[in-house]
Amino acid sequence: MNPVSILLILLWSYAVVFVILLLKDIFTNRRSLNKNKLTQNIVISGVSNFFDTLGIGSFGIAASLWKFTKSIPDSLIPGTLNTAFAIPTVVEASIYIHRIEMDIPTLALMIASSVIGASIGAGIIAKLNITKIRLTMGIALLAISAVTLCRLNAAGPFGIIGTAKGLDGRTLIAAVIGNFVLGALMPAGIGLYAPCMALVLLLGMSADAAFPVMMGSCAFLMPSAGITFIKEGRYHRGAALPMAFAGVIGVLAASSLVTALPLTLLAYLACFVMILCAGTFFHDAWKSNAFRFKSFKRKKKLSNKKTERWRP
């Protein structure tokens, strides 16, 4: 049996466990399923997973649309993302691992390091200043996208875009460490797709190699998170399965686009994704700082009122 088949068997075996737990929970709570705005949720899932397959990501799109349409309560959004979108992501990973030629040891090590990072490093990294992490990631993505664009257009001293399908030696160690950090950041609210694209391009690999790495990493990570949310009942039970089916359809519709694109065009797409994600990081960092500033002002006002009240 070849290494690709072994990797896919492991992935789908884990996915089957996840699906069994999901079906069991939905069946147990079948009398209380909420199916309001089901059509909206199905469309949102299909659209989000379509763009996810192109490397843009589904979490930000779906969360924004859910908030705009008020079709899913805010408290259930994280759990719904990880449960309803887990199987579409497994399908994505299966397509790219099977279709895109890549060195299997490099792929397996990078996926494994992201999973280990998510399970071990998340508790440590989540305690760091998330605003500073987001700002750093945003600046890094802009810088790497600029270098990549220079490589594509033979401008500056950066050389040409990489074509490697695998890594060894120091670059492989760097890839493993990098994906470990990205896996650890994911539970803290930092997406893996665009940073993983940046990492792959930075280490001299071809743009298409990013897809099996980033989607394979998330395909192993998301069912783990999804199982936690299923046990806690913190997801939209009434829409999870229909959204999963719609997400798979969106994935299949978009998958032929990526595998058919020339590598140069794919690299431009990667740059677009990185710039878009950098904007998201800056926006989230600004919101976080604005919220803290408002909280500080409010506390200061309350403190002043208390001081005035007890002034002799």
Side-chain angles (χ1 to χ4, degrees), residues 199-221:
L199 177 66
V200 166
L201 291 172
L202 191 64
L203 292 174
M205 296 179 71
S206 63
D208 61 342
F211 286 84
V213 175
M214 66 190 187
M215 290 169 182
S217 299
C218 290
F220 277 97
L221 287 172

Side-chain angles (χ1 to χ4, degrees), residues 12-297:
W12 278 102
S13 297
Y14 193 30
V16 167
V17 173
F18 167 79
V19 170
I20 289 171
L21 292 173
L22 177 62
L23 290 173
K24 182 181 177 182
D25 185 68
I26 292 173
F27 182 77
T28 303
N29 297 277
R30 63 189 181 280
R31 297 183 186 278
S32 59
L33 295 180
N34 180 5
K35 296 184 179 180
N36 292 335
K37 299 186 178 181
L38 184 59
T39 303
Q40 287 183 359
N41 288 325
I42 289 172
V43 172
I44 289 170
S45 176
V47 171
S48 301
N49 283 285
F50 178 90
F51 286 107
D52 193 64
T53 312
L54 299 180
I56 295 172
S58 59
F59 278 27
I61 295 171
S64 300
L65 290 173
W66 283 334
K67 287 181 75 66
F68 179 75
T69 60
K70 298 181 180 179
S71 52
I72 291 181
D74 290 355
S75 60
L76 299 182
I77 286 177
T80 304
L81 287 169
N82 282 282
T83 52
F85 290 3
I87 296 305
T89 306
V90 170
V91 174
E92 283 178 23
S94 302
I95 290 170
Y96 290 117
I97 290 171
H98 186 71
R99 284 188 190 176
I100 294 177
E101 182 184 347
M102 186 178 174
D103 178 56
I104 296 301
T106 301
L107 176 62
L109 286 171
M110 290 185 74
I111 290 174
S113 67
S114 71
V115 174
I116 295 170
S119 59
I120 296 177
I124 300 170
I125 293 180
K127 295 176 183 177
L128 300 178
N129 189 309
I130 298 300
T131 301
K132 290 181 180 178
I133 292 175
R134 284 171 175 156
L135 286 172
T136 303
M137 295 294 289
I139 293 168
L141 287 176
L142 285 180
I144 294 169
S145 62
V147 171
T148 304
L149 287 170
C150 288
R151 285 179 174 178
L152 285 168
N153 294 281
F158 302 107
I160 59 172
I161 198 74
T163 57
K165 297 293 183 179
L167 301 169
D168 55 21
R170 292 180 180 178
T171 53
L172 179 58
I173 294 171
V176 170
I177 294 172
N179 230 34
F180 173 88
V181 174
L182 295 181
L185 287 170
M186 194 173 173
I190 305 296
L192 184 137
Y193 274 19
C196 186
M197 274 188 176
L199 177 66
V200 166
L201 291 172
L202 191 64
L203 292 174
M205 296 179 71
S206 63
D208 61 342
F211 286 84
V213 175
M214 66 190 187
M215 290 169 182
S217 299
C218 290
F220 277 97
L221 287 172
M222 287 175 66
S224 300
I227 289 171
T228 301
F229 286 113
I230 289 170
K231 289 178 179 178
E232 295 176 356
R234 301 282 291 180
Y235 72 103
H236 197 305
R237 289 192 182 98
L241 280 180
M243 283 197 292
F245 284 117
V248 170
I249 293 170
V251 167
L252 295 175
S255 61
S256 58
L257 290 177
V258 173
T259 51
L261 288 174
L263 284 179
T264 301
L265 191 56
L266 202 58
Y268 277 114
L269 175 63
C271 290
F272 170 74
V273 171
M274 285 189 280
I275 293 169
L276 189 69
C277 192
T280 305
F281 280 136
F282 290 139
H283 176 262
D284 290 344
W286 180 83
K287 278 180 64 178
S288 179
N289 269 343
F291 176 77
R292 288 177 184 176
F293 182 67
K294 287 178 182 178
S295 298
F296 174 76
K297 285 179 69 177

